[in-house]
Amino acid sequence: AEHQHARYNPLRDDWVLVSAHRVKRPWQGQLEKPPPEDVPRWDPNNPLCPGATRANGEVNPQYEGTFVFPNDFPALQPDAPEPGDSDHPLFRAAAARGVCKVMCFHPWSDLTLPLMSLAEIRAVIDAWAELAVELGASYPWVQIFENKGAMMGCSNPHPHCQVWASSFLPNEACLEERTQRQHLSQHGVPMLLEYAEQEARRKERLVVENRDWLVVVPYWATWPYQTLLLPRRHVCRLQDLHEGERDSLASIMKRLLIKYDNLFEVSFPYSMGWHGAPTGPYLEEDCQHWQLHAHYYPPLLRSATVRKFMVGYEMLAQAQRDLTPEQAAERLRSLPEVHYKQRAE
């Protein structure tokens, strides 16, 4: 807790430098602006609102729950041409095809997941699973992710996420495919199933838990308040969750995200995403080494205005953090589970 040391991340097969004593240093760097509190519930100029016109001229329906539509500016398209042969091994290219979708969580722009009801969050989970099945029928990787807050590059305050399906396994998926397969081969148990059992017993990095799920600040966390959401039983893919697990997932997500918001009493920015066994052609293969999980990567470090920057040493050497995962977990764990905006109600 007081001296620098390195921790191994078995999921990524890399290391993070922990320098706990540095958290005491004064901050004279950039200060972020807190997110606006006066987001209108409906804005005809907001392209994600019901009834609004998007950039391509399409008009959104008057949706009342979740709403999924093709991304108007997709990073992946299904009919991209082959890049052609390379004339040198140092100048390789490969085909990259896919589809990109946007999913609105709710018709109101002034809501976020922690302020939504359990039934509304459960509807989001069901929509995620449906998309995972639909796109996973033909694509090997379906990446569900949410960028929340302008600090994480989100250009629209409306509650939404993105789903990108690709014809290839992205880098992070390839890493987790290799490390989880190797762990099962060497130890006879899925890595993250064993890890969840260990963290449930040790409790020092535990943030919240229920009968089906637990959230921890992982032992190898890079971001200050990074968390890992894990099922207690062996589950390969999001669509494999049964009804009770989906209900308890909605509950634990809400509890975690309320704690995030309560930490600095601000709508907490983060990037999150689901990782599970590959799909498409992998549906016919043995993927028992995989364990479903979600990563949450929030950038805030000391307050609503001071963030962690991944620069310098992190970009050129290896990841580094100032706050120990145990300290971060203790702070999150101790926070109330009633949202700060709703305490007076």
Side-chain angles (χ1 to χ4, degrees):
E2 296 295 331
H3 303 286
Q4 68 267 17
H5 60 280
R7 297 191 183 191
Y8 180 63
N9 181 346
L11 196 57
R12 299 194 75 258
D13 189 23
D14 64 9
W15 292 80
V16 57
L17 174 63
V18 182
S19 312
H21 57 286
R22 276 170 49 91
V23 78
K24 300 173 184 176
R25 67 190 174 112
W27 180 260
Q28 295 179 322
Q30 178 174 322
L31 297 179
E32 306 291 338
K33 292 182 179 180
E37 295 283 345
D38 56 346
V39 176
R41 178 156 292 182
W42 184 83
D43 181 353
N45 297 315
N46 184 331
L48 299 186
C49 282
T53 302
R54 304 203 307 273
N56 62 357
E58 291 192 21
V59 178
N60 296 333
Q62 294 292 340
Y63 65 92
E64 297 181 352
T66 59
F67 169 51
V68 178
F69 62 92
N71 194 314
D72 296 329
F73 303 96
L76 292 163
Q77 295 177 322
D79 54 357
E82 294 282 344
D85 295 332
S86 171
D87 62 357
H88 193 282
L90 294 179
F91 300 92
R92 296 165 59 192
R97 300 185 180 93
V99 296
C100 299
K101 293 182 180 290
V102 176
M103 179 197 297
C104 294
F105 297 154
H106 196 279
W108 295 355
S109 294
D110 58 343
L111 280 190
T112 55
L113 281 170
L115 293 170
M116 288 166 53
S117 70
L118 289 176
E120 289 166 340
I121 299 173
R122 168 63 197 266
V124 170
I125 293 167
D126 288 340
W128 282 342
E130 289 171 11
L131 276 174
V133 171
E134 174 193 334
L135 298 175
S138 51
Y139 287 102
W141 191 255
V142 179
Q143 184 59 66
I144 298 167
F145 66 97
E146 179 193 4
N147 294 325
K148 179 171 177 275
M151 199 181 300
M152 299 309 294
C154 180
S155 60
N156 194 304
H158 197 90
H160 71 286
C161 73
Q162 298 189 55
V163 184
W164 293 11
S166 61
S167 61
F168 55 90
L169 289 189
N171 294 341
E172 294 297 312
C174 286
L175 260 178
E176 293 193 3
E177 163 69 22
R178 175 174 61 81
T179 57
Q180 290 181 100
R181 183 180 292 277
Q182 186 176 38
H183 187 92
L184 181 64
S185 174
Q186 292 178 347
H187 302 281
V189 60
M191 178 199 295
L192 291 181
L193 182 62
E194 182 178 10
Y195 179 68
E197 291 170 351
Q198 285 287 322
E199 290 287 31
R201 180 173 61 82
R202 296 170 186 254
K203 296 192 181 303
E204 59 187 329
R205 285 169 295 274
L206 189 68
V207 178
V208 286
E209 63 179 331
N210 61 26
R211 67 181 183 275
D212 299 313
W213 301 88
L214 68 157
V215 175
V216 300
V217 177
Y219 176 78
W220 53 79
T222 298
W223 295 93
Y225 292 97
Q226 175 180 336
T227 55
L228 184 63
L229 171 57
L230 295 161
R232 292 185 184 272
R233 76 171 178 97
H234 187 203
V235 184
C236 288
R237 300 177 177 92
L238 190 64
Q239 52 267 45
D240 298 335
L241 297 174
H242 58 59
E243 291 291 309
E245 288 169 329
R246 295 187 185 196
D247 286 339
S248 57
L249 174 56
S251 173
I252 204 164
M253 282 175 55
K254 185 177 176 74
R255 293 170 63 195
L256 169 65
L257 298 179
I258 285 175
K259 285 180 178 289
Y260 270 159
D261 281 9
N262 284 345
L263 179 61
F264 300 130
E265 295 199 346
V266 69
S267 184
F268 207 68
Y270 58 75
S271 283
M272 71 79 66
W274 285 99
H275 283 172
T279 48
Y282 293 88
L283 292 171
E284 304 301 320
E285 297 186 9
D286 182 1
C287 291
Q288 292 303 300
H289 51 291
W290 273 91
Q291 174 73 329
L292 176 70
H293 58 283
H295 296 282
Y296 284 84
Y297 298 132
L300 293 180
L301 173 60
R302 302 184 183 200
S303 69
T305 61
V306 177
R307 67 176 297 182
K308 165 71 176 177
F309 288 91
M310 290 292 181
V311 295
Y313 190 86
E314 290 87 355
M315 295 174 71
L316 297 164
Q318 70 180 39
Q320 182 272 333
R321 62 179 290 125
D322 295 347
L323 189 69
T324 68
E326 293 76 25
Q327 291 166 335
E330 183 179 14
R331 188 163 184 189
L332 288 172
R333 189 167 54 243
S334 66
L335 291 165
E337 295 188 8
V338 176
H339 199 278
Y340 73 92
K341 288 186 175 180
Q342 299 175 326
R343 286 177 197 160
E345 296 182 5

